[in-house]
Amino acid sequence: MIRVEALYRYPVKGFTPERRDELVVQPDGRVKGDRSLAFAFADVESPDDTVWPKSRGLALMGVPSLARIALAYDDEARHVRLRVDDIDVDADIDDPAGRAELAAAVTAYLRTTPDARLLDEEGVLPFAFVGDGRTSRFQDRPQGYVSLHGAASVADVDAAVPAPVDDRRFRSNVVLAGTAPWEELEWAGTLRIGDVAFTVQKPIERCAAVMANPDTGVRDARLLRVLTTEFGHATPTLGILLLPADGGGTIRVGDEVTVIRA
């Protein structure tokens, strides 16, 4: 039986995944609260657009050191806690001073990392911590998607490289157990997770973010090349994108997954 092994939400784009027991999938395909906050570069004029290219702010693709930051968002209290090395900030995002404190903390940390050179580029500083903490808006693509991969596919990649590789590198919303390696790439048509139906859209072409070790913030595995040379993908691919077929709903850890039309 194929089932949901883990669910993840990413409250702040490019930062720590938040493991959840359930996710609410909105009719537009976005996960409620997913990527509802972001650190924007100083020269970004429209931080609240519904499409957010990685070039507009901090993202793992260009700043692997972000992976070391432990960041948690409390929806109820409207607080973000950020911890790394000797930095520990717990700030109210409804207070402009709290947002500024978080931006300053990230800047201070990045000054100590190999990514410090980014801070000297024109238009980068000062960072602005943007978003309302509720609306899912800082995705790379104009269409909202739920991302999914099978744990067996990641295990296959892990076995092919000396560096540790786990689900966190691929930042999917849904991780499945019970699939064969790469099986999900063959799916088409309709997929049901619990009571929620989805249509399979396309495979996920991966970027340099997957090369960053989620514990050390160091690029320790050339996974883009591994995905094409070791596994024969035309482009570096792992996982698939889904859209809700009938208005969305709530998916949960342990839900059974059924491929209705493969």
Side-chain angles (χ1 to χ4, degrees):
M1 180 181 76
I2 304 173
R3 62 176 180 82
V4 175
E5 179 176 89
L7 295 171
Y8 294 96
R9 188 179 75 165
Y10 303 84
V12 182
K13 184 178 179 67
F15 285 76
T16 312
E18 179 184 78
R19 193 155 181 161
R20 308 279 286 187
D21 293 328
E22 62 181 41
L23 294 177
V24 176
V25 180
Q26 301 172 166
D28 66 356
R30 299 175 189 264
V31 169
K32 183 179 180 181
D34 189 67
R35 295 163 172 97
S36 62
L37 296 159
F39 286 92
F41 293 151
D43 63 358
V44 172
E45 296 181 0
S46 302
D48 291 334
D49 289 353
T50 55
V51 183
W52 188 259
K54 293 182 177 71
S55 59
R56 290 190 170 190
L58 292 177
L60 273 175
M61 181 180 75
V63 192
S65 299
L66 296 177
R68 288 196 57 234
I69 298 175
L71 188 149
Y73 176 50
D74 184 329
D75 300 68
E76 298 287 335
R78 307 273 294 159
H79 271 231
V80 169
R81 185 175 183 188
L82 185 156
R83 291 171 292 159
V84 61
D85 298 334
D86 60 351
I87 297 171
D88 190 341
V89 174
D90 189 349
D92 180 354
I93 68 167
D94 291 327
D95 181 355
R99 289 181 178 249
E101 187 179 10
L102 290 163
V106 171
T107 303
Y109 163 66
L110 290 177
R111 289 281 186 205
T112 71
T113 72
D115 295 320
R117 61 189 181 279
L118 167 74
L119 305 180
D120 297 324
E121 294 182 10
E122 185 177 354
V124 169
L125 290 181
F127 298 131
F129 193 44
V130 297
D132 62 10
R134 299 186 182 95
T135 307
S136 175
R137 64 161 51 100
F138 298 114
Q139 278 84 3
D140 301 339
R141 307 170 181 91
Q143 178 67 64
Y145 291 106
V146 174
S147 54
L148 172 152
H149 72 252
S153 301
V154 173
D156 231 15
V157 177
D158 181 43
V161 297
V165 175
D166 62 36
D167 295 317
R168 293 175 297 166
R169 290 204 189 232
F170 298 95
R171 302 179 67 78
S172 293
N173 297 120
V174 184
V175 179
L176 301 183
T179 57
W182 312 106
E183 175 184 343
E184 63 272 22
L185 295 182
E186 305 301 320
W187 294 344
T190 304
L191 181 75
R192 185 170 291 277
I193 302 176
D195 297 326
V196 184
F198 295 88
T199 55
V200 177
Q201 298 297 301
K202 57 184 176 180
I204 303 173
E205 184 174 343
R206 295 296 177 168
C207 70
V210 303
M211 297 193 292
N213 184 307
D215 295 314
T216 67
V218 174
R219 287 179 177 151
D220 61 356
R222 303 181 73 175
L223 294 186
L224 301 182
R225 176 175 292 183
V226 168
L227 288 169
T228 55
T229 60
E230 297 294 324
F231 298 102
H233 300 159
T235 58
T237 301
L238 191 142
I240 56 176
L241 295 173
L242 311 174
L243 284 177
D246 53 8
T250 301
I251 59 177
R252 298 174 176 86
V253 171
D255 277 350
E256 185 173 352
V257 178
T258 306
V259 182
I260 298 172
R261 188 170 63 252

